[in-house]
């Protein structure tokens, strides 16, 4: 609930004692701009102030001050999240780490990088590339999303089928606890098993246990040049059979992406991709960056043909490979063009659900059935290689009945994912959007243990309250 005027005044007075004036945003428009992330259907409150610290010491001061006054704190990065985890609550301090954007050191000998949480994923990748190294996680919003946000949500990306997700690269964290104490987890060594793995506990905790003020991340040698393959199928089952065959044969593509019928059609209608053909039930986009990508692609091409592919395009050069991968990158502009063609009244909700790879075609079929049942257009794309799909529900948010149907379709997609042995989130997180689904997935015993961890780290329930395992 909103703070009293006396508490707000005292909060600001104490914050100003150790923060520069430009680090505190109190204008109503500035506070409103930081009220929420990019998730629809998720409630948000009005912050009392937005703090934009530049140092870990300033974060400590914010946390100690808020803790002493029993004021909630909501950490934020770039607000690209899609689960409501960075949404403000009434009367809180929004703690934006976007200003903490230094890359502190790149260590080629140990293949690691140290950075602050506000560094964007793209900038980090470009910085380490200058040393002949790569940071593989590549969320779709990598040019805007921050390392701190990636750590908070456990972000993935297109290449995670081969290279893993954010959690696989976090070696250590510099943290500020809810009461302002500072600590470090993890280590710089390649191996280490001393004590409980608090680093992995923090990754994916969505800012509910501690504030990340620094990270030590593992790096890999630069990826070799890649080649790509595009295959279109007459049925979802055929595409699923191709994915299963590629996996069973032991291939390790660096990307294995799926576009359903509606998404393929949208990209075709954009009119800028020469290789995609209309009418296919599913499109697979496969990339290989192995030692002999041409040979691996040839083998995967045969598997796609045996599964029933009706159209295949294979690259022989880096330029052709880029052209094929561009079909995946064109999905966002294609959906934007579709919505614009409907008068600009529509909004898109990008969902996140994962199932075992073998259940992938079944889930895509269920999503198409759900779209028809609720009279909505749903575009499904995702990471076929690890069973993680992103159904995008398009609806008119000015139409109450359509909003209702979109919410119900969303619930039906979540239920279908769990029924098929999957999870309600592969990489976007729980936030506020999926709290009701968490107990259905985890069960009451597991949920109570997680609530116990929350109480241990945050006994006053002041850090990002109401998110994930709400007390």
């Amino acid at each position: 609930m909103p703070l009293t005027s006396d508490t707000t005044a005292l909060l600001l007075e104490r914050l100003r004692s150790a923060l520069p004036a430009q680090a505190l945003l109190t204008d109503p428009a500035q506070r409103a701009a930081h009220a929420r992330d990019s998730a629809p259907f998720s409630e948000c409150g009005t912050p009392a102030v937005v703090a934009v610290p530049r140092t870990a010491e300033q974060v400590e001061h914010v946390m100690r001050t808020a803790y002493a006054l029993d004021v909630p704190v909501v950490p934020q990065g770039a607000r690209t999240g899609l689960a409501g985890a960075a949404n403000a609550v009434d009367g809180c301090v929004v703690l934006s780490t976007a200003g903490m954007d230094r890359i502190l050191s790149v260590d080629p000998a140990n293949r690691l990088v140290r950075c602050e949480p506000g560094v964007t994923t793209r900038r980090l990748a470009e910085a380490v590339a200058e040393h002949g190294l790569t940071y593989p996680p590549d969320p779709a919003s990598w040019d805007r999303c921050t390392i701190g946000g990636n750590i908070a949500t456990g972000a993935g990306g297109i290449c995670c089928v081969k290279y893993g997700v954010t959690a696989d690269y976090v070696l250590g964290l510099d943290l500020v606890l809810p009461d302002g104490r500072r600590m470090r987890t993890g280590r710089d060594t390649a191996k280490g098993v001393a004590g409980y793995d608090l680093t992995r506990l923090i990754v994916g905790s969505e800012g509910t246990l501690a504030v990340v003020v620094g990270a030590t991340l593992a790096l890999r040698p630069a990826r070799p040049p890649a080649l790509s393959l595009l295959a279109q199928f007459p049925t979802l089952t055929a595409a699923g059979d191709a994915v299963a065959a590629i996996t069973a044969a032991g291939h390790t593509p660096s990307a294995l992406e799926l576009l359903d019928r509606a998404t393929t059609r949208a990209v075709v209608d954009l009119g800028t991709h020469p290789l995609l053909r209309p009418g296919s039930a599913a499109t697979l986009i496969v990339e290989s960056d192995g030692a002999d990508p041409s040979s691996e692609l040839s083998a995967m091409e045969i598997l796609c043909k045996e599964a029933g592919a009706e159209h295949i395009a294979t690259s022989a050069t880096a330029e052709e490979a880029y052209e094929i991968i561009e079909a995946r990158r064109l999905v966002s502009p294609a959906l934007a063009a579709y919505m614009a063609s409907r008068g600009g009244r529509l909004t898109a909700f990008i969902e996140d659900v994962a199932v075992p790879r073998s259940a992938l075609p079944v889930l895509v079929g269920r999503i198409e059935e759900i779209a028809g049942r609720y009279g909505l257009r749903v575009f499904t794309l995702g990471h076929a290689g690890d069973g993680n799909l992103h159904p995008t529900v398009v609806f008119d948010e000015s139409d109450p009945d359509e909003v209702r149907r979109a919410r119900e379709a969303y619930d039906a997609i979540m239920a279908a994912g769990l029924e098929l042995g999957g999870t309600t989130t592969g990489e976007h997180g729980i936030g506020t959007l999926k709290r009701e689904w968490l107990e259905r997935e985890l069960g009451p015993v597991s949920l109570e243990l997680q609530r116990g961890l929350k109480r241990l780290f945050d006994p006053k329930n002041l850090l990002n309250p109401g998110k994930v395992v709400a007390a």
Side-chain angles (χ1 to χ4, degrees):
M1 53 189 298
L3 304 182
T4 66
S5 57
D6 288 345
T7 303
T8 301
L10 184 57
L11 172 68
L12 294 176
E13 177 186 346
R14 292 187 181 180
L15 291 176
R16 287 173 179 141
S17 69
L19 293 176
Q22 63 270 25
L24 293 175
L25 311 180
T26 58
D27 180 81
Q30 293 172 320
R31 289 185 289 137
H34 288 79
R36 64 180 310 121
D37 61 18
S38 299
F41 306 146
S42 56
E43 68 275 10
C44 69
T46 302
V49 61
V50 178
V52 190
R54 298 302 297 266
T55 68
E57 291 73 22
Q58 290 176 356
V59 174
E60 291 178 64
H61 175 70
V62 171
M63 299 305 294
R64 283 195 302 266
T65 300
Y67 198 79
L69 296 174
D70 291 334
V71 175
V73 176
V74 175
Q76 281 186 357
R79 304 192 303 282
T80 58
L82 292 165
N87 285 6
V89 297
D90 283 334
C92 74
V93 175
V94 161
L95 176 59
S96 171
T97 58
M100 301 175 66
D101 59 358
R102 295 180 300 160
I103 297 174
L104 302 174
S105 65
V106 180
D107 183 347
N110 291 301
R111 291 185 184 169
L112 57 83
V113 58
R114 299 177 182 87
C115 71
E116 293 181 328
V119 177
T120 64
T121 312
R122 179 172 186 165
R123 182 168 155 243
L124 183 81
E126 291 173 346
V128 302
E130 296 176 3
H131 298 265
L133 298 167
T134 185
Y135 177 69
D138 60 342
S141 58
W142 80 312
D143 58 335
R144 294 181 297 130
C145 65
T146 63
I147 293 298
N150 292 173
I151 291 168
T153 59
I158 292 175
C159 75
C160 60
V161 61
K162 179 176 182 178
Y163 290 102
V165 295
T166 298
D168 298 310
Y169 293 88
V170 182
L171 295 174
L173 294 171
D174 190 5
L175 304 171
V176 177
L177 297 174
D179 60 6
R181 289 179 295 166
R182 183 109 163 251
M183 66 173 288
R184 176 175 164 77
T185 71
R187 54 198 58 83
D188 294 347
T189 55
K191 294 193 297 184
V193 293
Y196 296 126
D197 191 346
L198 296 182
T199 303
R200 291 297 287 259
L201 178 61
I202 297 298
V203 177
S205 63
E206 303 183 48
T208 61
L209 303 180
V211 179
V212 175
V213 293
T216 301
L217 307 171
L219 303 175
R220 289 189 175 218
R223 293 171 59 186
L227 294 177
S228 303
L229 160 71
L230 182 149
Q232 294 185 263
F233 297 85
T235 67
L236 290 167
T237 300
D241 289 344
V243 172
I246 289 170
T247 303
H251 296 296
T252 54
S254 49
L256 183 49
E257 298 290 291
L258 172 73
L259 280 61
D260 74 344
R261 185 188 305 275
T263 310
T264 299
R265 179 79 240 185
V267 177
V268 169
D269 289 346
L270 204 58
T272 60
H273 201 280
L275 300 177
L276 273 180
R277 296 180 181 177
S280 295
T283 300
L284 286 182
I285 298 169
V286 189
E287 180 188 79
S288 172
D289 64 359
D292 186 1
S294 179
S295 175
E296 185 172 43
L297 277 186
S298 295
M300 289 191 284
E301 179 180 4
I302 292 171
L303 295 174
C304 287
K305 287 179 178 177
E306 291 176 348
E310 56 190 359
H311 168 58
I312 296 179
T314 306
S315 68
T317 66
E319 291 74 19
E320 292 173 353
Y322 178 86
E323 187 174 56
I324 288 174
I325 291 296
E326 190 69 4
R328 175 64 171 83
R329 297 192 181 100
L330 286 172
V331 169
S332 291
L335 297 189
Y338 170 82
M339 291 190 290
S341 71
R342 268 57 178 180
R345 302 185 313 277
L346 303 179
T347 188
F349 173 35
I350 305 173
E351 193 30 64
D352 168 43
V353 61
V355 294
R357 282 188 292 260
S358 59
L360 196 70
V362 179
L363 178 60
V364 177
R366 292 274 189 92
I367 292 169
E368 289 187 342
E369 182 272 323
I370 289 167
R373 188 195 323 161
Y374 290 98
L376 297 168
R377 182 62 65 94
V378 180
F379 300 87
T380 300
L381 64 151
H383 317 308
D386 54 23
N388 189 187
L389 291 181
H390 298 304
T392 302
V393 182
V394 176
F395 61 98
D396 184 350
E397 60 183 347
S398 68
D399 181 340
D401 181 66
E402 198 155 310
V403 171
R404 175 192 59 78
R405 285 184 280 124
R407 285 178 178 268
E408 291 179 3
Y410 157 79
D411 280 343
I413 292 170
M414 291 297 98
L418 290 183
E419 184 183 333
L420 292 170
T423 175
T424 54
T425 176
E427 55 190 12
H428 291 174
I430 294 294
T432 60
L433 198 59
K434 298 183 177 180
R435 286 176 310 193
E436 295 179 5
W437 286 95
L438 190 61
E439 185 168 355
R440 303 188 205 187
E441 179 170 342
L442 298 183
V445 175
S446 177
L447 192 60
E448 183 52 37
L449 284 174
Q450 298 206 24
R451 285 178 173 150
L453 287 169
K454 168 65 172 172
R455 289 191 293 269
L456 179 64
F457 275 81
D458 183 16
K460 289 187 176 184
N461 192 31
L462 292 177
L463 185 56
N464 216 8
K467 313 298 172 55
V468 192
V469 287

